[in-house]
Amino acid sequence: MGGMNDTLLQAAALIIPLIFAIVFHEVAHGWTARALGDPTAYEQRRLSLNPFRHVDPIGTVVLPGFLALTGMPIFGWAKPVPVNHHRLRDPRKGMMAVAAAGPGTNLVLAAVGAVMLGLLVRFAGAELGPVEKFAAMNFNNFILINVFLALFNLLPIPPFDGSHIVEGALPRHAARIYARMRPYGLPLLFLVLLVIPYLFPDWGIVRRLVLPPVIWASDHYYALAEAVAGG
């Protein structure tokens, strides 16, 4: 029973931060779009922090939980907040700002998690009780998940946020050609992150390409947590 309880606590400490990170990510897109002239998300009542309005059962719960249990890179998605670029005052620049808002929010949330982790260590001391340990697990995962979501979504692979930023920065003719890649983005991602590592684990694609920037960025947030803790 103890092992099962530990597993459940570890799963909860992953799923709870993931839901918060994804919900704030999506709502940030919607609020930015509204500020720039597109009220579509507001009209469809998607600017709520209620997770049930955003959670996709497969992308937010099942897939991340499966990836965590199998030791593979954890990623997921929520129901995308609707954005109508035709309603933006400046569609090209507006879509770039809307796309950047999600990862930017995740980086801010990672800083909040680092501050909270530092305060927990500072006031709870070295000996953490069960509640404090569970909170520390959540804050730690909150940092890692937000950093990963931010960097992952900045990949210039359609349909991720990075692709909208790149598309807006390209000349119009090149942007139209680049947009034709959208139907192939997710299959390519699954191939690179799941299929190839499973078939050829010695290649170390995830270890060499995905983890280094996440670790580099996370180290800076842990440095912030240590500074807040007084270390």
Side-chain angles (χ1 to χ4, degrees):
M1 290 295 291
M4 182 179 294
N5 288 336
D6 289 343
T7 301
L8 291 175
L9 286 175
Q10 291 174 6
L14 280 170
I15 292 173
I16 293 172
L18 181 65
I19 289 175
F20 272 96
I22 289 179
V23 167
F24 274 89
H25 178 106
E26 291 299 329
V27 172
H29 287 318
W31 276 111
T32 304
R34 187 186 183 194
L36 297 177
D38 174 26
T40 304
Y42 174 76
E43 292 169 351
Q44 297 186 17
R45 301 178 63 193
R46 292 295 307 280
L47 297 186
S48 169
L49 294 178
N50 180 353
F52 293 104
R53 294 189 182 275
H54 304 281
V55 166
D56 180 288
I58 300 298
T60 314
V61 180
V62 175
L63 179 62
F66 171 77
L67 295 175
L69 292 174
T70 56
M72 302 185 76
I74 301 171
F75 65 93
W77 60 84
K79 297 175 185 176
V81 166
V83 176
N84 185 344
H85 69 279
H86 294 295
R87 301 179 74 179
L88 294 169
R89 287 188 289 272
D90 184 336
R92 282 171 61 83
K93 292 181 181 178
M95 280 304 298
M96 292 176 69
V98 170
T105 296
N106 288 129
L107 293 177
V108 172
L109 289 176
V112 172
V115 170
M116 296 301 294
L117 180 60
L119 291 174
L120 176 65
V121 173
R122 182 169 188 168
F123 293 109
E127 297 295 328
L128 299 180
V131 175
E132 289 83 3
K133 286 182 180 179
F134 181 66
M137 288 171 58
N138 275 274
F139 292 140
N140 181 68
N141 289 336
F142 194 62
I143 295 169
L144 293 173
I145 287 171
N146 275 288
V147 169
F148 184 82
L149 277 178
L151 300 183
F152 184 72
N153 276 281
L154 286 173
L155 289 173
I157 301 175
F160 294 107
D161 298 327
S163 70
H164 292 291
I165 297 172
V166 170
E167 187 175 332
L170 289 173
R172 293 184 184 275
H173 176 68
R176 285 193 294 269
I177 297 174
Y178 182 77
R180 294 173 188 166
M181 295 174 52
R182 296 204 172 278
Y184 311 104
L186 280 178
L188 175 63
L189 187 71
F190 274 92
L191 178 68
V192 172
L193 291 185
L194 297 180
V195 178
I196 293 178
Y198 178 79
L199 296 176
F200 306 100
D202 293 339
W203 289 10
I205 290 180
V206 173
R207 184 180 69 253
R208 295 176 183 177
L209 299 180
V210 178
L211 292 183
V214 173
I215 293 173
W216 177 84
S218 298
D219 285 344
H220 287 75
Y221 285 106
Y222 287 128
L224 172 61
E226 186 175 354
V228 172

